């Protein structure tokens, strides 16, 4: 995450990874990691005729507007993605990046380093729609074989039924950028070292209830953010005023 954000593009690494790169350049503490780019998946598809055929069928089904047909074709495409065999070049690059996460400037880290493997889709967020929370995150991944399975799982999550139905819904509302069928999912994969948090939260920089840009809202809960995002923990809720920064409301 040391590259200047302007030297990479959202189309290559996705918006999530680009935002983390920008934070790292500003000196904020971003867990170390690496990115499997959208170009890596495109190369996989070029090398695998059966995978390409499945993805083309899924794109055609989405273009038809038939929800059930699109879901069925997407499920077949997801099976192919999870079974994809990475090229030797990609396998070697990921192995080297994985090895680098096991060593820091002072020497080897503990043998069991846990990783978070997350989606960073190029069009995960649009002007009027957002795919946030619809793609897969695989947490506590240990070892190279498990890492490969997690990367394939994130690729395949482009075709979850909820993501497919969301794209169809966006298309019906006129958001062409979200609904345009893609033969190759524009899905980069973000791999980062896990941390063990006391608490996790989601910060909205505009109050989503009132629409006020003078207020921020924070929802937080104990442990990993996955349980919070899935609604499995009851969040603490805070409203903050920007200038000067202070808490003006709280609740459960």
């Amino acid at each position: 995450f040391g590259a200047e954000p302007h030297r990479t593009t959202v189309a290559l690494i996705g918006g999530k990874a680009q935002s983390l790169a920008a934070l790292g350049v500003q000196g904020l503490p971003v867990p170390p990691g690496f990115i499997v780019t959208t170009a890596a998946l495109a190369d996989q598809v070029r090398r695998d005729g059966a995978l390409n055929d499945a993805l083309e069928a899924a794109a055609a089904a989405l273009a038809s507007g038939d929800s059930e047909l699109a879901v069925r074709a997407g499920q077949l495409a997801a099976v192919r993605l999870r079974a994809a065999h990475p090229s030797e070049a990609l396998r070697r690059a990921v192995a080297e990046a994985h090895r680098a996460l096991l060593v820091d400037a002072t020497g080897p880290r503990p043998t069991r380093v846990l990783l978070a493997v997350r989606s960073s889709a190029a069009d995960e967020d649009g002007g009027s729609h957002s795919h946030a929370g619809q793609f897969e995150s695989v947490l506590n991944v240990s070892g190279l074989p498990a890492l490969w399975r997690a990367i394939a799982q994130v690729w395949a999550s482009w075709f979850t039924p909820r993501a497919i139905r969301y794209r169809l819904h966006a298309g019906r509302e006129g958001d062409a950028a979200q609904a345009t069928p893609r033969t190759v999912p524009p899905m980069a994969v973000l791999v980062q070292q896990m941390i063990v948090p006391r608490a996790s939260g989601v910060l909205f920089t505009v109050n989503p209830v009132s629409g006020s840009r003078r207020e921020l809202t924070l929802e937080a809960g104990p442990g990993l953010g996955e349980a919070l995002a899935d609604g499995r923990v009851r969040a603490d809720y805070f409203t903050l005023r920007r200038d000067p920064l202070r808490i003006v409301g709280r609740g459960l």
Side-chain angles (χ1 to χ4, degrees):
F1 300 110
E4 291 287 347
H6 68 270
R7 293 181 184 172
T8 56
T9 66
V10 171
L12 186 64
I13 66 173
K16 188 181 296 178
Q18 190 183 53
S19 295
L20 287 171
L23 292 173
V25 168
Q26 295 298 318
L28 294 171
V30 177
F34 62 90
I35 302 156
V36 181
T37 68
T38 56
L41 179 53
D43 182 65
Q44 284 292 113
V45 176
R46 283 193 296 270
R47 294 169 180 271
D48 187 334
L51 174 58
N52 183 71
D53 291 346
L55 295 179
E56 286 185 344
L62 182 66
S64 75
D66 184 324
S67 176
E68 296 310 310
L69 178 64
V71 168
R72 288 197 301 272
Q75 288 173 333
L76 293 175
V79 169
R80 286 287 186 186
L81 278 168
R82 283 193 290 267
H85 295 288
S87 67
E88 181 59 31
L90 180 58
R91 185 179 294 277
R92 186 167 55 249
V94 169
E96 291 175 358
H98 175 258
R99 192 178 305 115
L101 287 180
L102 306 183
V103 179
D104 62 15
T106 60
R109 290 195 174 112
T111 303
R112 190 167 181 262
V113 174
L114 300 180
L115 303 174
V117 183
R118 308 163 65 202
S119 68
S120 184
D123 57 357
E124 197 156 342
D125 296 308
S128 58
H129 294 88
S130 171
H131 279 84
Q134 296 193 43
F135 302 133
E136 292 281 348
S137 292
V138 187
L139 305 182
N140 297 313
V141 175
S142 177
L144 200 53
L147 175 57
W148 276 117
R149 290 192 296 271
I151 290 171
Q153 185 173 336
V154 172
W155 281 342
S157 71
W158 180 262
F159 294 107
T160 61
R162 62 183 177 181
I164 290 170
R165 292 191 174 103
Y166 188 85
R167 284 194 286 275
L168 286 169
H169 172 74
R172 293 182 185 121
E173 290 197 340
D175 190 338
Q178 291 288 336
T180 302
R182 309 280 188 92
T183 297
V184 180
M187 177 73 81
V189 180
L190 179 61
V191 180
Q192 288 181 279
Q193 184 184 346
M194 291 283 297
I195 62 171
V196 182
R198 291 193 298 272
S200 303
V202 178
L203 178 69
F204 295 88
T205 55
V206 175
N207 189 320
V209 176
S210 68
S212 174
R213 294 182 177 274
R214 298 177 60 192
E215 293 181 343
L216 306 89
T217 62
L218 174 66
E219 295 184 17
L224 293 170
E226 183 184 39
L228 178 68
D230 291 346
R232 289 185 279 113
V233 298
R234 188 175 184 182
D236 294 318
Y237 185 88
F238 301 88
T239 303
L240 301 95
R241 186 64 57 87
R242 285 183 183 276
D243 189 20
L245 186 63
R246 64 193 188 280
I247 297 175
V248 296
R250 62 187 304 166
L252 294 176

